[in-house]
Amino acid sequence: MNRKKNTTSVPTLPQSKVNPSLLAPPPQQLSPNQSYSTFIPPEPKFDPNDYITGTTTKRDIILYKEIFDFLDSNNNGVIQPMDLRKAFASAGKYQPKKQIIYQMIADFDQDQSGIIEFREFVRMMAMHPGEKDTDDDFENVFYQIDLDYKGYITVDDLRELASECNEKIKEEDLQNIIHACDPDGNGTIRKQAFIRYMKSLQKKR
């Protein structure tokens, strides 16, 4: 007796109606000398109109960009501490200490990234010399002299600053600066006394 084979068929799924042209192309094959890590997106074209402010003109921005590109020794679109050191080296004998370089960066690095971007550089360049310095400005100067953050400036600090700036200042003149800012006769300049002294000089300009 012949038994009938089980002819129950498995239901088939409907064919996909996806348009092949809408599918993403297969990933590009890289040569042995290429890697994904070497891909660098194209740099957006510089437009001076994007950086114009109420105190700067298009001509100013173009000039600032030339200076910025000169300082940007690595051509990576930012100014780093090493860029400033190279700029000082090419400009003359003065070689400021690392603390001063980092302080200069910090003064204008609003996002605290450790570097100066072009928009921050424009803001720095647009500052007019005629504007009055604030207490914060004088405090920054104080700590550029008091590199050890002692809280006071000694005649040795002034002597070292003069040496770094390649300035020959007589010992008598250094002592006079101390005496002018040292009403208590301690032989040091405290921060508040330094700020008052700098303000008095500013009024005489």
Side-chain angles (χ1 to χ4, degrees), residues 6-177:
N6 188 356
T7 58
T8 303
S9 60
V10 178
T12 58
L13 296 175
Q15 296 294 324
S16 174
K17 295 183 179 181
V18 177
N19 187 343
S21 65
L22 299 179
L23 296 175
Q28 182 181 2
Q29 297 296 323
L30 297 176
S31 67
N33 296 328
Q34 291 179 315
S35 66
Y36 287 107
S37 61
T38 59
F39 173 74
I40 300 177
E43 185 177 348
K45 186 177 180 181
F46 171 70
D47 185 357
N49 295 314
D50 294 339
Y51 301 93
I52 294 177
T53 67
T55 58
T56 58
T57 65
K58 183 176 181 178
R59 180 177 294 182
D60 293 332
I61 299 300
I62 293 174
L63 175 61
Y64 297 160
K65 187 64 166 63
E66 292 178 357
I67 300 173
F68 184 87
D69 290 343
F70 170 76
L71 294 175
D72 178 16
S73 58
N74 294 324
N75 296 320
N76 55 3
V78 296
I79 297 177
Q80 305 175 73
M82 183 56 66
D83 294 324
L84 289 182
R85 290 183 68 86
K86 289 180 180 179
F88 278 111
S90 63
K93 298 180 179 179
Y94 174 53
Q95 281 295 313
K97 289 187 175 182
K98 288 183 179 180
Q99 294 96 322
I100 296 180
I101 292 292
Y102 286 117
Q103 184 62 55
M104 293 173 66
I105 293 287
D107 286 344
F108 300 99
D109 176 25
Q110 288 197 331
D111 57 4
Q112 298 181 349
S113 60
I115 55 179
I116 297 179
E117 301 165 359
F118 182 64
R119 195 172 297 278
E120 294 171 329
F121 183 76
V122 169
R123 191 177 299 111
M124 175 179 68
M125 295 296 291
M127 293 179 63
H128 299 291
E131 294 178 353
K132 295 294 184 180
D133 294 318
T134 64
D135 286 7
D136 290 338
D137 296 327
F138 294 136
E139 184 174 346
N140 287 334
V141 175
F142 179 86
Y143 284 115
Q144 288 177 18
I145 303 174
D146 176 26
L147 296 177
D148 298 327
Y149 287 86
K150 304 182 298 296
Y152 57 86
I153 295 172
T154 66
V155 68
D156 290 334
D157 294 324
L158 295 179
R159 191 182 297 113
E160 184 174 356
L161 177 66
S163 176
E164 287 185 1
C165 296
N166 201 27
E167 293 286 342
K168 294 182 179 180
I169 302 180
K170 295 180 180 179
E171 188 67 23
E172 180 182 357
D173 294 332
L174 293 176
Q175 292 292 344
N176 288 337
I177 295 174

